[in-house]
Every structure is written in C-alpha cells, then in structure tokens.
Amino acid sequence: MNFPGRQKKLREHLVTTQFDALLISHLPNIRYLCGFTGSAGLLLVAEAGSVFFTDVRYDTQAREEVKGAKVIIARKMLSNALAEWLGASRTRSKGWTIGIEAEHLTVAERKRLADLLPSGQRLRNAPALVELVRMVKDDDEMDRIRAAVRLGATLFDRALEVLRPGVRETEVAAEMEYAARRAGAEEMSFPTIIASGARSALPHGRASEQSIAPGGFVVCDFGVILAGYCSDQTRTVWVGAASGASSKEAREAYDAVLEAQQAAIAAVRPGISVGEVDAAARKVLRKAGLGRYFTHSTGHGVGLEIHEAPRVAAGQKEVLQPGMVITIEPGVYFPGKWGVRIEDMVAVRENGCEVLTPTGKNFLTV
Ligand code: ZN
Ligand code: ZN
C-alpha cells in the first residue's frame, strides 16, 4: 500500500484549502492514509510531514503498521498528546488553522481539543477530503476488493445449500457467516440480511428467528471484510414451486428488477454522473409500473467501509471516474407481501465498467 503517496494526494488538497494541517480522526481514513488498523488514533497531516498519535495499547502495533508518519505514544489522552506536540515548538505550528473532520468528530471532542490547543491555533471544519481521495481505488485496493468480492460470493453458494422451507433465517445466516470465517474473512461487513416472506419487503431485514415458508421470496444481502476491504452482494430466491398467479407476479417483478439492474450497470462509465446511473435503473422500473416500490437509492461506494462515497442516488452530481467501486442494487418492495433486490459490485473502467460479483442472476427457486 502506497501510504506516502496517499498522504501526498491529501497534501495537494491542503494547498487549495485554507488549512495548515488536517487532523484525521476517522479510523478508516487513518487506516487509508498510514496503515494503522487499531481502534484509537489521531493523524495530523501537515505540509512538512505527518504525526500519528495512539495510546500505549498500540505501541508495538503502531510501530509495525504506521507508514509515512512519526509515531507518538500518548501517556494521557490523544488530544493532550496532540496539543503538547503542537505547543512543543514555538515556530512549528504558529498561527495554524487546523482542519478537522467535522463529519466524524463529536461536539465534545472538538471542544476538548479547542480548549487544549496552544493560543493562536484554530480549528475549522474541513470538507470530506480523505473520502474524496478514497473514492478512486488504487491497484492494491482493487486487488483486495476483488479478493473480498470473490470470497463474499461463495457465501451465496453456501446459502443455497441450506435454504429450504422450514429452516430459520438465522440458521442460514449462521451457516454463511461460519463459512466466511472458515474461508479467512475478518468479519462480516454488516449483519447478514436473510429476509423471507413478508420480511423480504423490509429493505434491511436482518435475519430473524422466522422459519422460511414456501410461496415467497428470500432476500439474501451479505458481505465480508477481507484485508480491510468490504464486499456487498444481494441475491433474491423464490421458495417452493414457482407456479400459480402469485409466483407469476413475483417472476415479473424479479425480471423488472434484473432489467433495471442491468440498465444501471450498462450506464456506468467515466464521465457520467451517479444521478444518471440511478435514473437508468429507475426508468426501467417506472416503465414496468413499479417505480413507486423502488424506495431506496441505486447504490453506494464500497471500500474500507461498506457505505462510502459516492452515493448513487437521484440527483447526485458526483461524476464517475476510472477506479471507483460502487454497488448497483435496485429493488422493489410490496409491504406485507414480499420484496426483491439484486446487488452487484462494479468497478468503473476507462471504457465502461467491470462487474466484480461473479454470481449468476437467473431466477432461482429453492
Ligand atoms: Zn448489500
Ligand atoms: Zn449495498
């Protein structure tokens, strides 16, 4: 991982903003910039160099992991260590304006820091600069994302082995999560969603104690974290025989969602806005008379975090660039009845896009 290169990119943004230094407190951003994977840290990125503060629990780990920054082990709180460092030399940080990650620092943390700062230094809210840099994945990240997606996809094969009428949703989730850990996943990227029957109409229906009954959909939405990077995938299957009027309607809804998903994927290429990608999916479902049942956005960025920039949603102006990785996940939900969602991860390429998720999308019955 090219941590100094990432910090350099961030410094280029420093030049165009009003900040003398940026204080990074969001752990995924810290990991991205210097490699630290622990749970307590502050990274100060300034023109002359970077300094990383952590506590004694992470002494050994920080010295092993952190690249491109001087490591300081705090004896008290991290904010005290930071303030001490800033105040230690009269010229080091004289009159500095320090940008903070307003989205991630609590009001209380901000106040504590402001109270500790040497006089003449100010805190100002910085825009989400690291998130901006993180949107475009480098080659090392793409390798890790691919590996996470491949591992994640195998969980659906496991789900198909155990998904049967009478099996509880939690049992299916448990088998998938066990398989994930056995295959080397660090953890799930979010609580596994196995939503059957009327629960499939809940876009975020976590696996429950409910037994899976024939004559309905099961939405399976799952992902793993491997080497820090997340996967995210959804497949929806029909339980029992696909015959009769209700299954015909279900089949039509499934086909419309699949068509919408493919239309959105076909729209993904450099230069197009994420809002246009969202519109491509929405247009298909509106045509099928299902527009008002598609209640969420079409997708989101994925990387070190399961949900990161850009949001692939109506009206969003972010323009796709090669190296961005997003999900495409339209769905339709009929409250009290059932729902369908199909989700793949795709990478934006010079000439269009590459679907990373290898799993087929044909209508399946279990
Ligand atoms: Zn998902
Ligand atoms: Zn997703």
Side-chain angles (χ1 to χ4, degrees):
M1 295 277 169
N2 182 8
F3 299 113
R6 294 174 185 177
Q7 291 182 34
K8 183 166 168 275
K9 263 193 203 145
L10 187 64
R11 284 199 183 89
E12 284 162 13
H13 285 283
L14 264 183
V15 176
T16 59
T17 54
Q18 305 298 312
F19 303 107
D20 299 292
L22 285 171
L23 180 62
I24 310 302
S25 56
H26 186 48
L27 289 167
N29 287 347
I30 289 175
R31 178 171 187 161
Y32 178 78
L33 290 170
C34 72
F36 179 70
T37 63
S39 66
L42 285 175
L43 179 68
L44 188 76
V45 180
E47 196 48 54
S50 302
V51 191
F52 176 70
F53 303 87
T54 187
D55 63 48
V56 285
R57 292 173 301 165
Y58 290 116
D59 193 338
T60 309
Q61 185 178 331
R63 288 176 205 285
E64 274 172 19
E65 289 181 341
V66 173
K67 301 282 180 290
K70 178 180 159 64
V71 174
I72 292 182
I73 306 299
R75 272 159 285 123
K76 290 185 277 178
M77 292 177 77
L78 301 188
S79 45
N80 290 74
L82 170 71
E84 259 170 45
W85 186 87
L86 286 167
S89 151
R90 229 176 300 157
T91 51
R92 178 186 280 162
S93 53
K94 200 164 170 249
W96 269 14
T97 298
I98 299 170
I100 54 161
E101 297 188 286
E103 302 261 350
H104 304 295
L105 206 64
T106 67
V107 174
E109 284 163 345
R110 186 195 169 123
K111 181 171 186 311
R112 186 161 54 235
L113 208 53
D115 291 346
L116 287 167
L117 278 190
S119 62
Q121 294 180 351
R122 290 170 303 171
L123 298 177
R124 287 285 177 274
N125 292 345
L129 293 173
V130 189
E131 281 83 349
L132 201 69
V133 178
R134 275 175 52 194
M135 278 200 299
V136 176
K137 274 67 182 172
D138 57 35
D139 290 346
D140 288 336
E141 292 185 287
M142 281 306 307
D143 289 346
R144 290 187 178 199
I145 289 171
R146 274 177 215 287
V149 170
R150 266 198 306 272
L151 196 163
T154 64
L155 305 195
F156 185 62
D157 303 332
R158 183 68 191 127
L160 289 179
E161 287 170 6
V162 292
L163 248 172
R164 293 286 174 274
V167 173
R168 279 178 291 127
E169 293 170 0
T170 45
E171 288 178 67
V172 179
E175 292 298 333
M176 294 168 77
E177 293 180 4
Y178 183 65
R181 290 289 272 165
R182 291 283 304 219
E186 287 160 30
E187 54 182 310
M188 308 308 289
S189 47
F190 55 90
T192 302
I193 292 172
I194 300 291
S196 69
R199 297 188 74 258
S200 65
L202 309 172
H204 267 190
R206 284 185 192 179
S208 78
E209 289 287 291
Q210 178 170 294
S211 290
I212 292 164
F217 277 121
V218 184
V219 172
C220 310
D221 189 350
F222 50 92
V224 297
I225 302 179
L226 186 64
Y229 284 80
C230 297
S231 79
D232 190 7
Q233 172 179 350
T234 307
R235 288 295 182 270
T236 301
V237 297
W238 184 260
V239 185
S243 55
S246 68
S247 73
K248 182 171 176 286
E249 194 190 5
R251 181 72 200 246
E252 283 167 5
Y254 187 94
D255 289 344
V257 170
L258 181 54
E259 196 189 321
Q261 205 242 6
Q262 283 164 335
I265 289 173
V268 173
R269 61 179 174 274
I272 194 174
S273 75
V274 285
E276 289 171 274
V277 174
D278 181 88
R282 230 162 273 284
K283 187 178 159 196
V284 171
L285 289 170
R286 205 175 304 125
K287 246 176 152 175
L290 298 171
R292 68 197 165 101
Y293 302 105
F294 178 21
T295 47
H296 53 73
S297 53
T298 293
H300 53 87
V302 194
L304 282 170
E305 291 178 275
I306 183 65
H307 292 121
E308 53 182 57
R311 275 185 64 218
V312 185
Q316 292 291 310
K317 302 271 186 285
E318 195 67 57
V319 173
L320 292 178
Q321 303 169 49
M324 286 183 172
V325 174
I326 56 174
T327 69
I328 301 292
E329 50 177 307
V332 294
Y333 309 92
F334 298 88
K337 205 167 143 194
W338 41 251
V340 183
R341 177 167 66 257
I342 302 170
E343 172 181 31
D344 286 332
M345 275 170 65
V346 306
V348 184
R349 290 268 163 258
E350 297 291 345
N351 54 355
C353 87
E354 175 191 349
V355 178
L356 301 175
T357 310
T359 315
K361 293 182 273 199
N362 290 339
F363 183 90
L364 288 182
T365 59
V366 294

